[in-house]
Amino acid sequence: MQLEGKTWKFGDNIDTDQIIPARYLNTSDPAELAKHCMEDADAGFAAAVSPGDIIVGGSNFGCGSSREHAPISIKSAGVSCVIAASFARIFYRNAFNIGLPILECAEAVEGISQGDEVAVDAGTGTIKNLTRGKEYQAKPIPPFMQEVIAAGGLIEHVKRKLG
Amino acid sequence: MGMTITEKILARHAGRDRVEPGELISARVDAVLGNDITAPLAIKEFEKIGVDRVFDPERVYLVPDHFVPNKDIKSAEQSKLMREFARKQELVHYFEVGRMGIEHCLLPEQGLVVPGDVVIGADSHTCTYGALGAFATGVGSTDLAAAMALGETWFKVPETIKFVYEGELPKWVSGKDLILYTIGDIGVEGARYMAMEFTGPVIEKLSMDGRFTICNMAIEAGAKNGIVPPDETTSEYVRERAKRPYRFEHSDPDAQYARTITYDVSWIEPQVSFPHSPDNTRPVTRATHVEVDQVVIGSCTNGRIEDLRVAARILKRQKVHPNVRLIVFPGTQAIYLQAMNEGLLQTFIEAGGAVSTPTCGPCLGGHMGILAKGERAVATTNRNFIGRMGHPESEVYLSSPAVAAASAITGRITHPEEVI
């Protein structure tokens, strides 16, 4: 899967309360959640983000609450993928389960500045910073996660298992 | 080579003799749970799978606790969806308002989680049950949906960090202070993807309530699970409660640990985590300049009877500071009733505090105690992230019930010794 977009850079330990505050969790409607994506980290993000844009986080991205509403809000805001130095474990599972591509690569995070144009091959994990002409390789995706992706998400994977 | 308690529990549920850290395994789950925020999403995903029934109607626990009694129409719709699913699936353990509690206080109290279990819950604080010597971890809604259908899930076997607490716990220092101190030491990603095994003479002497508090906040260090070796204290707690047979597992003497960290707790003060991270921890005597508008005592971290007793002991014949709102949230209906019978609720009310029905409400900025811009709270809850209890420019300081109660009297963060 080839993805390309402008990057939005965030710091370390972006928790899921910042990604989607609990005051909006009285619904699970993706379009509603998208309106408030990243609101407590950057109140202007949801209005300014364009389809295909890429979120770049530091370490421990998605820590805190298990709310799947967090990756859903990111995906439905049009963000094509999240690159971070590391991910919190529940967010990591949730992102794969709902089909939001995520890549772990501390060097890329270091080498990308806010607004850089970046191209990602979600299959191979290659990250190209088009603005700066640098290329990075993300950590490989565990085989089980690759199966989930190939099936089109965890629910499809379970269907096949039961089918 | 030996195994840790976490590895042994996972191996048995995977039908294996042994497992190694880093391995991906498929494991049977003894129970799964969801709440009024996470279950509605899980139910929608479950219905896409195309199976008619959950794997076992006695093993799927649904607890409306976050936005109940419902705060608005949208949240009422979420609860309704969950209630209707519970009826349709004939779930044995659905807990309605008036009979519910905060899930992580309620399920152990009801004997629905027992030692040796593997439990997953669509709530990050599911790790609380490690206090019973069970493997319990938080997942998202889609993982819950898959497990509701299959009765199993996949795990990466975590490495374990062993924590050894030695010395004598000073007066006013509780399980909450130990876990805040530990997170302050290792950081919010200090145990990312790992198991935290809490051991040593101090843990052995700690009550079940204190152990629940410690395991509850393992997630705040990024851990997959927290776990306490089961012992006589565990036995006493589960003997009368357990709804299923249970099994005590113990780490082998030659189990492999990623690290062992030993603390001498004899000199530790009550701890306070400053905004906006649970690892921003300082001793209470370095926090006494912080004035507060609200004090929250309760939650899945500190809403148990022992927590309410210590708070009431400090608030007895005292008055809440004129500039402070004190809100007390017992964790379950049973705790609420016990607190009433012991006169604790009377103490809170006479002191000028509000007592609420059990709910997660204020902890996550849902309802029942939202902060306005610029307001500050000291809370016995588990997270002090930006906007956690309300306005993004409000602040939460995390503490034990003792420090929270003392702070309610003086209007600023206070060592309990100062008001006793």
Side-chain angles (χ1 to χ4, degrees):
Chain A
M1 197 179 359
Q2 302 292 326
L3 310 165
E4 196 176 316
K6 189 177 75 136
T7 54
W8 294 80
K9 212 163 170 195
F10 295 91
D12 292 338
N13 303 314
I14 295 294
D15 56 72
T16 53
D17 276 83
Q18 291 182 70
I19 298 171
I20 184 74
R23 56 187 179 272
Y24 305 118
L25 295 185
N26 54 3
T27 176
S28 54
D29 175 20
E32 275 300 310
L33 297 172
K35 287 184 199 163
H36 305 289
C37 181
M38 305 303 287
E39 189 167 298
D40 284 1
D42 176 354
F45 176 84
V49 69
S50 300
D53 283 0
I54 292 168
I55 287 178
V56 178
S59 62
N60 205 25
F61 187 90
C63 59
S65 160
S66 68
R67 60 189 73 163
E68 204 162 286
H69 309 63
I72 291 172
S73 78
I74 291 174
K75 192 181 174 195
S76 55
V79 171
S80 63
C81 83
V82 181
I83 302 168
S86 63
F87 291 93
R89 58 161 287 276
I90 304 177
F91 184 91
Y92 186 84
R93 282 180 85 121
N94 288 348
F96 281 103
N97 288 347
I98 67 149
L100 170 69
I102 57 173
L103 294 158
E104 224 173 25
C105 186
E107 299 75 25
V109 170
E110 185 83 9
I112 295 170
S113 300
Q114 170 78 22
D116 284 359
E117 285 290 329
V118 166
V120 168
D121 183 325
T124 63
T126 310
I127 301 165
K128 284 182 188 160
N129 186 336
L130 305 175
T131 305
R132 294 170 203 278
K134 290 270 174 65
E135 191 172 317
Y136 307 94
Q137 182 60 44
K139 275 196 197 166
I141 296 166
F144 176 77
M145 292 304 196
Q146 290 183 22
E147 280 176 40
V148 170
I149 296 166
L154 184 67
I155 294 302
E156 291 303 317
H157 182 76
V158 171
K159 270 186 182 173
R160 285 185 193 183
K161 191 166 178 168
L162 291 169
Chain B
M1 196 203 310
M3 286 194 289
T4 65
I5 176 172
T6 294
E7 290 156 12
K8 284 185 179 179
I9 294 172
L10 287 175
R12 197 162 47 78
H13 285 75
R16 302 255 302 265
D17 291 333
R18 60 176 302 115
V19 293
E20 307 278 349
E23 262 189 286
L24 277 173
I25 58 161
S26 186
R28 184 173 55 75
V29 292
D30 293 295
V32 301
L33 65 128
N35 58 52
D36 52 318
I37 289 180
T38 60
L41 255 180
I43 291 163
K44 286 178 194 166
E45 295 303 311
F46 175 84
E47 285 171 350
K48 288 181 196 164
I49 296 172
V51 291
D52 293 335
R53 314 298 292 178
V54 298
F55 79 103
D56 185 342
E58 290 188 27
R59 306 284 185 121
V60 176
Y61 308 153
L62 295 184
V63 188
D65 59 0
H66 278 60
F67 294 154
V68 302
N70 284 120
K71 64 166 183 154
D72 55 19
I73 295 168
K74 281 184 177 177
S75 70
E77 299 289 349
Q78 300 277 92
S79 290
K80 188 178 171 209
L81 193 154
M82 184 170 158
R83 182 180 302 116
E84 286 174 352
F85 179 80
R87 286 181 189 157
K88 186 176 150 200
Q89 292 286 332
E90 297 171 332
L91 300 186
V92 179
H93 303 293
Y94 165 76
F95 295 90
E96 195 51 271
V97 169
R99 285 139 272 168
M100 50 71 76
I102 299 170
E103 52 199 341
H104 309 310
C105 298
L106 181 72
L107 299 178
E109 171 195 285
Q110 297 292 316
L112 291 171
V113 179
V114 298
D117 269 1
V118 167
V119 175
I120 63 166
D123 189 280
S124 61
H125 292 109
T126 301
C127 54
T128 307
Y129 316 137
L132 293 163
F135 174 88
T137 191
V139 296
S141 296
T142 301
D143 271 318
L144 170 61
M148 285 198 300
L150 298 173
E152 62 175 48
T153 193
W154 67 272
F155 295 110
K156 185 165 99 177
V157 178
E159 290 188 288
T160 298
I161 305 179
K162 182 179 185 178
F163 294 86
V164 187
Y165 298 85
E166 292 178 345
E168 286 292 327
L169 212 51
K171 198 177 175 192
W172 304 117
V173 176
S174 65
K176 181 62 165 287
D177 302 296
L178 293 182
I179 191 64
L180 290 182
Y181 181 83
T182 304
I183 297 165
D185 181 49
I186 66 169
V188 287
E189 60 169 339
R192 204 166 49 87
Y193 283 85
M194 300 171 96
M196 297 172 83
E197 189 174 316
F198 302 104
T199 72
V202 175
I203 302 296
E204 286 162 23
K205 277 188 236 159
L206 207 61
S207 66
M208 279 312 301
D209 284 4
R211 296 177 187 188
F212 283 124
T213 302
I214 289 181
C215 288
N216 172 272
M217 289 191 72
I219 178 70
E220 265 47 81
K224 178 172 220 154
N225 66 308
I227 198 158
V228 172
D231 58 12
E232 188 47 41
T233 303
T234 323
S235 275
E236 258 173 53
Y237 184 86
V238 295
R239 204 174 290 137
E240 303 291 319
R241 293 182 163 90
K243 298 284 197 297
R244 289 186 273 113
Y246 52 90
R247 183 184 171 111
F248 282 10
E249 300 277 11
H250 291 281
S251 294
D252 293 321
D254 58 344
Q256 295 291 303
Y257 293 97
R259 289 167 79 187
T260 297
I261 301 174
T262 304
Y263 299 119
D264 179 357
V265 304
S266 308
W267 58 273
I268 289 180
E269 273 189 40
Q271 303 286 305
V272 176
S273 287
F274 277 50
H276 291 285
S277 184
D279 65 1
N280 191 9
T281 306
R282 299 177 206 175
V284 65
T285 51
R286 286 177 51 208
T288 51
H289 59 286
V290 178
E291 291 184 356
V292 295
D293 304 288
Q294 180 165 297
V295 173
V296 171
I297 298 174
S299 82
C300 62
T301 314
N302 280 125
R304 299 184 181 79
I305 193 68
E306 196 174 278
D307 302 317
L308 302 184
R309 281 181 190 145
V310 70
R313 188 176 150 206
I314 289 166
L315 285 158
K316 187 93 186 162
R317 287 183 285 277
Q318 297 267 20
K319 288 288 175 201
V320 172
H321 190 276
N323 297 345
V324 172
R325 292 108 53 184
L326 166 68
I327 309 173
V328 182
F329 292 79
T332 66
Q333 290 292 84
I335 295 167
Y336 197 116
L337 192 58
Q338 190 175 353
M340 190 172 83
N341 290 337
E342 291 183 16
L344 311 180
L345 303 187
Q346 188 170 349
T347 298
F348 298 136
I349 292 167
E350 284 175 353
V355 181
S356 158
T357 191
T359 174
C360 310
C363 171
L364 79 162
H367 64 150
M368 302 291 289
I370 305 298
L371 299 175
K373 184 177 177 177
E375 286 192 325
R376 230 179 257 143
V378 62
T380 68
T381 56
N382 41 58
R383 291 186 176 135
N384 54 355
F385 300 154
I386 292 167
R388 177 72 181 179
M389 200 174 274
H391 195 281
E393 288 173 47
S394 62
E395 291 182 346
V396 178
Y397 293 73
L398 304 176
S399 81
S400 67
V403 168
S407 307
I409 296 165
T410 62
R412 54 178 176 75
I413 293 177
T414 297
H415 194 301
E417 213 56 70
E418 217 184 289
V419 293
I420 285 285

